[in-house]
Amino acid sequence: MKNVVMKVVEGQGRNQSIAGPQTQHPDDFHVCGPRNVPSMNWKDLINSTWKDGNYKRTVIACFIQAVYLLELDRQENRTNENALAPKWWTPYKYKLVETLIDEARRINIRCNTRMGSCCSLSGFVPMRPNGAPRAVLAFRGTLLKSPTIRRDIEDDLRLLAWESLKGSVRFSCGLKALRSISDKYGSSNICVAGHSLGAGFALQVGKALAKQGIYVEAHLFNPPSVSLSSSIQSMDEKAADIWKRVRSMLPSNGENQGGNNDGSKSIRLGSKQWVPNLYVNNSDYICCYYKDPDGAAEVKSTETGNANLPTNNAPCAAKLFVFSKGKQKFLEAHGLEQWWSDELELQMALNNSKLISRQLKSLYSLPP
C-alpha cells in the first residue's frame, strides 16, 4: 500500500503538461480528471479558491488518485517521463515530498508497495494561498493487483473483523508520517485524507493524534462502515434496549431511582474537538451506514457541500457529506472519480449517529 505527502509548488497549467501527440492513458489527468481547473495566479494568493469546499474536495480527491497511480506507475515500470501520478498534483502547485512504502518480505522476495504519500506546496510559490494546507498526507485504498492484493486484503479483513487497523505496520507508518509533518508544518496547516481502506487508515491515525490533543483536518472518501465487531455490538445494544423497555414495564422497586448516568460519559467536546469530513454515497453499501437514520442523534442538513458549518451547542462528531444519485452500481458508487465531478451535488449534515459516535467516543469519554 502506498501513501504520499505533498507540498504546494508553482507548476504548469493543466494544458501545458501534455507532452506530444502520444495516445493518452485512461487514467491520465487530462482524460478522467476534473474539468475547468482554475490556474493559480496572484489574485488567487489573496482570495484563494481553497476557501471553496468543492474545490478543496476536488483537489484532495486528486491527491488520493495520485497515490493509486504512484503504485501503478511502479508496477508497470513507468519512468519519470511517462509517469501518470505527477499530473494529478502539478496543476494545483503541489509537489511530492515523501512516499510511504510498506515493505513486505514474501518467500525471500522483498516487495515495496506504495501505500501513501505526502505532498506539500511548491517552494516556488511566494506565499501560501489562503486556506491551502501546507502539506497533505494521502492514503490509497485496496488495489486488486497481484503485487498488492494480498497485503490490502489482509488489512481489509483486519478492519472487517476488529474495526481497527492498529495491528497493521501501515498504521504505525502512517501515524509516524502524520506526526512528523504536524511537527514540521503545524497541525492547523496540514490535512490527512484517504479513500476506502485508505479512509480507514486516515480516520484511525487522525484519531490517534487527536487523543494527544493534536487536531488535524481529515477528509475521508467512502470510509468503511461495516465490521463484524460493530455488528455484534449493535446486536448487544438492541438487546439491551429491549431489556430496558421490558424493565420499564415492570413495577418499580426503587432500585433505578436517582437517574441514569450513561450520558455523563457520552461525547463531551469541550473547548476543542476533532471533526473529520466524511464523504459517502447512498448506493455504496461499504460506507452508507454512516448515515443510518436509526442512530442519528443530531442532524442539520444544508443544500450543498459548500455551506458553512451550522452553529449549535450539541455534540458534533463529524461533517457528513452525502451524495445521492439514485440507484448506482457498486463500483460507481464506491469509486473515487465521483468526488471531483463537476455536477456533484452534496447534502451536508452535522452527524452524531451511533456509528460515528462509536468511532470517536474514545476521544471525548471521561476516564473510568
Side-chain angles (χ1 to χ4, degrees):
M1 179 177 176
K2 185 171 188 173
N3 301 303
V4 293
V5 184
M6 299 187 190
K7 261 174 125 176
V8 181
V9 293
E10 184 177 22
Q12 296 93 1
R14 177 172 180 169
N15 295 330
Q16 295 174 313
S17 59
I18 303 178
Q22 60 190 22
T23 303
Q24 291 183 318
H25 192 280
D27 289 330
D28 193 287
F29 181 80
H30 306 284
V31 175
C32 66
R35 301 289 175 260
N36 304 317
V37 178
S39 298
M40 188 179 294
N41 51 41
W42 284 101
K43 180 180 179 181
D44 192 56
L45 294 175
I46 301 173
N47 187 19
S48 176
T49 51
W50 278 91
K51 293 179 179 179
D52 184 337
N54 292 324
Y55 179 82
K56 177 182 287 190
R57 183 196 67 249
T58 294
V59 176
I60 293 176
C62 287
F63 289 166
I64 300 171
Q65 176 71 0
V67 186
Y68 282 102
L69 293 173
L70 276 169
E71 175 59 24
L72 292 176
D73 284 345
R74 182 194 71 84
Q75 292 182 17
E76 298 172 14
N77 298 316
R78 298 193 187 99
T79 63
N80 291 335
E81 288 71 26
N82 63 353
L84 298 174
K87 298 178 182 179
W88 288 83
W89 62 69
T90 301
Y92 306 110
K93 311 301 185 274
Y94 276 73
K95 67 180 180 181
L96 179 68
V97 296
E98 182 182 354
T99 300
L100 309 187
I101 299 177
D102 174 19
E103 298 182 351
R105 291 184 179 274
R106 296 187 205 125
I107 317 177
N108 297 324
I109 299 176
R110 189 169 186 175
C111 179
N112 299 330
T113 62
R114 278 63 177 165
M115 64 176 188
S117 65
C118 179
C119 293
S120 65
L121 282 164
S122 165
F124 294 104
V125 174
M127 60 182 291
R128 178 162 61 107
N130 195 358
R134 293 185 62 186
V136 179
L137 177 63
F139 293 86
R140 67 164 176 83
T142 304
L143 197 55
L144 300 178
K145 299 287 185 178
S146 57
T148 54
I149 187 171
R150 179 179 173 183
R151 295 282 290 177
D152 288 356
I153 293 298
E154 284 178 2
D155 283 330
D156 285 327
L157 294 176
R158 189 192 309 274
L159 186 61
L160 176 64
W162 305 110
E163 202 174 3
S164 174
L165 292 164
K166 289 186 178 180
S168 172
V169 66
R170 301 173 181 184
F171 172 84
S172 56
C173 180
L175 180 59
K176 181 180 178 181
L178 187 60
R179 185 181 288 113
S180 174
I181 63 172
S182 175
D183 293 341
K184 183 175 181 179
Y185 301 109
S187 61
S188 61
N189 297 319
I190 65 172
C191 75
V192 61
H195 172 249
S196 191
L197 175 63
F201 277 105
L203 173 64
Q204 296 199 14
V205 298
K207 184 170 72 171
L209 274 194
K211 286 183 178 180
Q212 303 171 21
I214 303 173
Y215 299 90
V216 174
E217 183 177 345
H219 295 267
L220 315 174
F221 298 87
N222 301 92
S225 63
V226 180
S227 73
L228 295 178
S229 63
S230 62
S231 298
I232 293 173
Q233 187 171 351
S234 178
M235 288 189 290
D236 289 342
E237 290 174 352
K238 289 181 180 179
D241 185 57
I242 293 174
W243 175 237
K244 286 181 181 178
R245 292 182 182 182
V246 171
R247 290 185 62 183
S248 66
M249 297 168 61
L250 299 176
S252 174
N253 58 7
E255 289 181 359
N256 294 325
Q257 292 181 1
N260 189 343
N261 293 325
D262 289 346
S264 64
K265 290 190 178 183
S266 62
I267 290 180
R268 178 59 185 158
L269 301 179
S271 59
K272 196 170 184 180
Q273 55 185 291
W274 186 58
V275 184
N277 300 274
L278 278 67
Y279 304 88
V280 304
N281 187 310
N282 271 337
S283 299
D284 179 8
Y285 61 80
I286 287 182
C287 69
C288 65
Y289 294 103
Y290 272 107
K291 59 170 292 296
D292 189 349
D294 184 48
E298 176 70 19
V299 177
K300 290 197 175 182
S301 299
T302 61
E303 294 183 357
T304 67
N306 201 23
N308 293 325
L309 184 68
T311 302
N312 63 79
N313 295 323
C316 167
K319 283 192 258 186
L320 188 71
F321 296 87
V322 182
F323 178 42
S324 181
K325 192 183 177 182
K327 201 168 184 180
Q328 291 177 283
K329 294 181 179 179
F330 167 72
L331 290 181
E332 181 183 1
H334 191 66
L336 183 59
E337 185 173 346
Q338 64 184 310
W339 301 113
W340 61 70
S341 170
D342 290 334
E343 300 177 355
L344 185 65
E345 292 185 4
L346 300 176
Q347 287 186 334
M348 191 190 78
L350 294 184
N351 198 301
N352 190 32
S353 69
K354 287 183 179 179
L355 180 56
I356 293 176
S357 297
R358 183 161 62 242
Q359 292 277 10
L360 303 179
K361 67 180 180 180
S362 60
L363 295 179
Y364 310 113
S365 297
L366 296 174

